[in-house]
Amino acid sequence: MDQIFIQHRFSIERDGNTLQDALVMPLEDYQKLSESDIEAQKEERFTNWQEAIKNPPMVEEPAPEEKIAQIEKDLASLEEQKQVLMSQKVEAQAMVDIAVLESVKEVKLGGK
Amino acid sequence: MATRVAAAGGGDWNTGASWVGGVAPTAADDAQVPVTAGNMVIGTGAVCRSADFNTYTGQLSGTGTLTIGDGTAGLSNIALRLASGMTRSGSWALSFISSSSTTQTVTSNGITCPGNVTFNNASGKWQVVDNLTCGGNFVVTAANTLDTTTSSAQIIMSGSVFTFSGGSKTFYQLTATAITGNVVYGGNNSFTNVSLTAGSGKSGNVSLSGNMTVTGTLAFAGGSSVNRLLILNSTVGTARTITTTGATVTATNTDFQDITLSVAKDFSAQTDVGDCGGNSGITFPASVSQTWSGTSGGNWSTNGWTTRVPLPQDDVVINNAFSASQTVTADMPRLGRSIDWTGATGSPTWTNNTTNDIFGSLTLISAMSVTAGSSFTYRGRSNYTITSAGVSFANVCAINCPGGTYTLNDALTSTSASGFFLNGGGLNSNGFNVTFKLFVLSNSVTRSLTMGTSTWTATDSGATTPWSLATTTGLTFSGSSSTIIYSIASASTRTFAGGGLTYGTLTYTVAGSTGELDITGANSFAAINFSDVTNARSLKFTAGTTTTIRNGNGFNVQGTSGKLMTVDSITAATHTITATLDQHCQYLSVKNSVVDASPKWYAGTTSTDVSGNTNWLFSNPSFYLTSGTSRDYERQFFQGLVGNIGTLEDMKNKWFCSQTGLSHPRSAERQYLKSLGATGKDYHELWFTYLGNKGFSGSLNDRRRNFFTTQTTFI
């Protein structure tokens, strides 16, 4: 049997910041929560969101070796793409060649 | 044209001393490497008309390319003949470039070419006499004839990753036995047989950028139920046809994506063939829901699931009562269809060590954490949802679901510095917040974005483009009611690449941020909020573009005394901003900015007219008031204000009444005037929104007396 979920939408505006979020949980879990439980979950969401905004994770500059490895990966990927494009070019050129041959054939058959 | 014989001492191919007579082969010379020759090294510049190693027992090594051929056929019509008794090392490659119309033979005698094998002359004709094993890429750039069928010669790709680009030729057989990574297949080629087998890794895949026709046997095989092989079209969402008329088709431990088999094949009796979407002509095993087994974490690939490690079409349920500190590691590239953690307890951690594809909905729980480092890509081709439950995604998340849509069930937060991507298919924020460092959706793939009334918050502080939507080709977009906030202070120049679309409000008002904001594209905004009382900064537009502001006072760009906000173009030419209602700014430094003559654009007397501006008014607007209410108090109050009273400051000074007032309600959208009585104390406050040439509307507030007017219009 399908489980029934509750989506409790809420919006918290504080200090000019507005969080529009929802609590989503099975109906039986929702029915066990008190009002204060629900409010606490909302507060936790707002706090976590503020934390993500105010203290986003710092990104460390990659080491030179890591940069080189990434560049080599990118070059290998570009080489693959180049091979694919080259094969596509050959196919396209073959189509052009066929078209040219066909037109030459028409001219010759036309006795011109 | 001469015959060059390798010397007993061997050496570098392109060095004279390596050859009898002291002359290295040219492209017109036939090279012979007999049993008497020493070890030869393929370095740079190694060329010949033909290379015959018949009876050779030495070693051929090096990292260069041996280029073989010219306008005439090699001796005995041999292009290349390796010897079964020779050895090889290094990564040397072979390039066949003869333009001779005589068919020349290529004989390997069981020796693998460790590097690339290339055929590249539209006039050239070659016959591969026996199995040709290539350790690098096999590329037919051009060839008149490449005959492998006469001798039933296989092209055997021995590498774990490679490109096979067949030049749309007909081959006897393509064989690969150790695919563990990305294999690129190109050309519309025909085969008698194809046999592609994965090796011992989990990431083996063959990306088809050309069609394939097989008339004999087509066999796809993963290495095991977890070392699976993925066959997919190179363009996600577009089907690639494999023509299998008359062929016997087998697939084991193989997943398919965007593949059409021209002759329908039923794999439903098997349990090891996966459906990644976009396929036709293939009947897959039925979806079977798989539940994580046990109370411990562990690897996705080794857990004792209900019946099998989830196939892409299997839903996944993880609702276990985990012991403390357990980690589930998604070590499979394709995790399953919908993944649901509802009901799991014990605060598990979900991580990964490879990129993961999810082919349905994702439902997390708040009591878990996601520490995945590699990306999640959402690939479900129907309507699916993402429920984050407050969990942030530190890894790259991408949506690439042609024909499908992902709808948020709650707010989504991405903290990945590499970005959150919409690469194809639809994303609907469903009114919920979306928080990201970079949101990248600038491409030409069919996709849709429904921003609704959500707040989209960009948290990157680097010199980046947090909203990256320069290319809108293929995009269906709805964003006119949205709010986008650049929320993090930065000293770097950041860009809003709007793609010329219609947005709601763009806000960059975070205090202490000195970084410039560059807006690219001819966008329309309901409002741009750009202010900061703590420091000056710059707002710049692409020169030559027209930005539209839809709200009155929607161009809410405000500096403060000593901290002017600069309005300028990104490059040294003018930009245009247009509106339909008056705009009122102050404390600006304006340059290269063209605005409307009507409605009016007031920069105020506090702003500086630098240069290159048109129609900006560096003055204050004037107001004209009449009474519009019927209450005795108000009538008495406003009678002193009827008429044109000049500037805003004038109005402030002349407004008085006999009652004291205490209220100071605030509204970011409205202006207010305080009345000052004889004692200099605040009296009542008139709240109004200036509507430009339509006058303004507002209310008189006295909260002590709970005395309000409603929508009184003053003209």
Side-chain angles (χ1 to χ4, degrees), chain B residues 496-507:
Chain B
F496 176 91
L501 298 175
T502 300
Y503 295 90
T505 300
L506 173 63
T507 297

Side-chain angles (χ1 to χ4, degrees), chain A residues 3 5 7 9 18-22 24 26 45 48-49 52-54 56-57 59 79-80 83-84 86-88 90-91, chain B residues 139 141 163 165 168 184 187-188 209 342 389-390 409-411 413 415 417 430-433 435 437 453 455 487-488:
Chain A
Q3 200 173 25
F5 279 76
Q7 183 191 60
R9 288 179 171 246
T18 303
L19 171 65
Q20 299 174 94
D21 200 349
V24 180
R45 291 286 186 93
N48 290 343
W49 174 64
I53 290 179
K54 291 179 181 170
V59 179
E79 185 60 34
E80 279 183 33
Q83 297 292 354
V84 168
M86 281 170 62
S87 72
Q88 289 174 358
V90 168
E91 287 170 44
Chain B
V139 177
T141 307
T163 292
S165 184
S168 299
V184 177
N188 296 323
S209 68
T342 303
N409 262 351
D410 56 9
T413 298
T415 59
N430 197 18
F432 296 115
N433 281 27
T435 304
K437 291 204 122 181
T453 57
T455 299
S487 67
I488 294 293

Side-chain angles (χ1 to χ4, degrees), chain B residues 125-432:
Chain B
K125 295 182 180 178
W126 296 273
Q127 179 188 357
V128 179
V129 170
D130 58 1
N131 291 346
L132 171 56
T133 303
C134 172
N137 299 324
F138 183 91
V139 177
V140 180
T141 307
N144 182 291
T145 304
L146 181 61
D147 176 10
T148 59
T149 55
T150 298
S151 303
S152 300
Q154 297 180 42
I155 305 299
I156 301 175
M157 308 301 294
S158 63
S160 59
V161 295
F162 56 85
T163 292
F164 175 89
S165 184
S168 299
K169 298 299 181 189
T170 298
F171 296 86
Y172 171 66
Q173 179 161 331
L174 171 63
T175 303
T177 59
I179 298 171
T180 61
N182 299 332
V183 166
V184 177
Y185 169 92
N188 296 323
N189 311 298
S190 297
F191 303 87
T192 304
N193 306 312
V194 171
S195 175
L196 302 176
T197 303
S200 60
K202 294 181 173 55
S203 300
N205 69 88
V206 180
S207 173
L208 307 183
S209 68
N211 290 329
M212 179 187 288
T213 299
V214 181
T215 59
T217 301
L218 173 61
F220 298 120
S224 69
S225 63
V226 294
N227 295 332
R228 306 181 61 76
L229 182 66
L230 172 64
I231 308 297
L232 73 161
N233 186 20
S234 57
T235 303
V236 178
T238 303
R240 173 70 62 189
T241 298
I242 301 178
T243 302
T244 52
T245 308
T248 300
V249 179
T250 63
T252 58
N253 295 314
T254 299
D255 301 327
F256 293 90
Q257 180 176 299
D258 295 315
I259 298 296
T260 294
L261 293 184
S262 69
V263 177
K265 177 67 184 180
D266 185 352
F267 293 113
S268 61
Q270 297 178 219
T271 59
D272 61 351
V273 179
D275 181 6
C276 297
N279 302 299
S280 61
I282 305 174
T283 304
F284 291 93
S287 166
V288 177
S289 182
Q290 301 296 323
T291 300
W292 183 272
S293 171
T295 60
S296 299
N299 287 337
W300 204 271
S301 64
T302 56
N303 184 256
W305 298 92
T306 306
T307 58
R308 62 191 180 206
V309 177
L311 294 176
Q313 64 265 41
D314 294 338
D315 291 328
V316 175
V317 175
I318 307 177
N319 60 1
N320 308 61
F322 287 97
S323 307
S325 305
Q326 296 301 307
T327 298
V328 170
T329 301
D331 63 339
M332 293 290 292
R334 296 172 289 286
L335 298 185
R337 196 168 59 185
S338 292
I339 298 172
D340 189 352
W341 287 77
T342 303
T345 59
S347 302
T349 296
W350 188 22
T351 189
N352 64 12
N353 58 14
T354 183
T355 59
N356 300 141
D357 290 344
I358 299 168
F359 296 92
S361 298
L362 176 64
T363 303
L364 303 181
I365 57 171
S366 57
M368 69 181 286
S369 58
V370 175
T371 61
S374 298
S375 64
F376 289 160
T377 300
Y378 299 90
R379 296 192 183 275
R381 304 278 179 107
S382 185
N383 294 325
Y384 292 109
T385 60
I386 300 174
T387 307
S388 303
V391 177
S392 296
F393 295 92
N395 55 334
V396 167
C397 289
I399 293 175
N400 196 350
C401 57
T405 298
Y406 276 87
T407 299
L408 300 187
N409 262 351
D410 56 9
L412 184 146
T413 298
S414 164
T415 59
S416 166
S418 299
F420 173 53
F421 295 79
L422 177 59
N423 292 335
L427 172 62
N428 183 345
S429 63
N430 197 18
F432 296 115

